[in-house]
Amino acid sequence: RVPLVESGGGSVPAGGSLTLSCAISGYLNSRFCMGWVRQAPGLEREGVAVLAADDTTSYIDSVKGRFTISKDYAKNVLRLQMTNLAAEDTAMYYCAADPYCTAETNPQMALFFTSKGQGTQVSVSS
């Protein structure tokens, strides 16, 4: 498993922005699939975005144009930039990684990645 630690969550008003970070221990300069998963209160977890080994990105429809997933290979950090946040984005966000995956274009598959962090809470007030 890949040790992952998320940070950057918080409370913002609707329309605000947040950037989540996920520190990756080990696996320096390695390329494999990573993603973000979220779970809203009372709802099932859903994959939000994935980043493949070739830096191809994929998003669920509800966040397209608002969220950007990226990886800083020099710092070994995965990020999720979130803009124009809405109340529906309120959830616990989890970083996910799978060192055995190199190509993935379905963001929902992040649910099945072998490693996940402890999560960081994002709360958006309307």
Side-chain angles (χ1 to χ4, degrees):
R1 293 195 173 198
V2 181
L4 305 168
V5 179
E6 303 93 336
S7 61
S11 298
V12 296
S17 301
L18 282 173
T19 296
L20 306 183
S21 296
C22 173
I24 309 155
S25 297
Y27 295 90
L28 291 177
N29 298 318
S30 294
R31 290 179 174 264
F32 45 79
C33 299
M34 297 200 68
W36 290 92
V37 171
R38 69 184 180 185
Q39 186 166 21
L43 299 179
E44 295 186 356
R45 285 190 182 188
E46 64 173 350
V48 175
V50 292
L51 177 76
D54 64 354
D55 291 334
T56 300
T57 59
S58 301
Y59 304 90
I60 56 173
D61 288 344
S62 62
V63 307
K64 283 181 181 177
R66 300 189 299 122
F67 289 13
T68 302
I69 186 172
S70 63
K71 185 176 179 183
D72 184 333
Y73 288 94
K75 296 182 179 179
N76 223 21
V77 173
L78 181 75
R79 292 192 174 91
L80 185 68
Q81 295 174 279
M82 307 184 293
T83 63
N84 195 21
L85 284 161
E88 307 86 82
D89 297 315
T90 293
M92 184 71 80
Y93 284 72
Y94 302 88
C95 176
D98 192 334
Y100 299 101
C101 167
T102 57
E104 183 55 71
T105 58
N106 182 352
Q108 293 293 352
M109 293 306 293
L111 288 168
F112 304 102
F113 288 177
T114 55
S115 299
K116 292 185 182 63
Q118 294 301 306
T120 185
Q121 178 68 40
V122 172
S123 299
V124 184
S125 57
S126 57

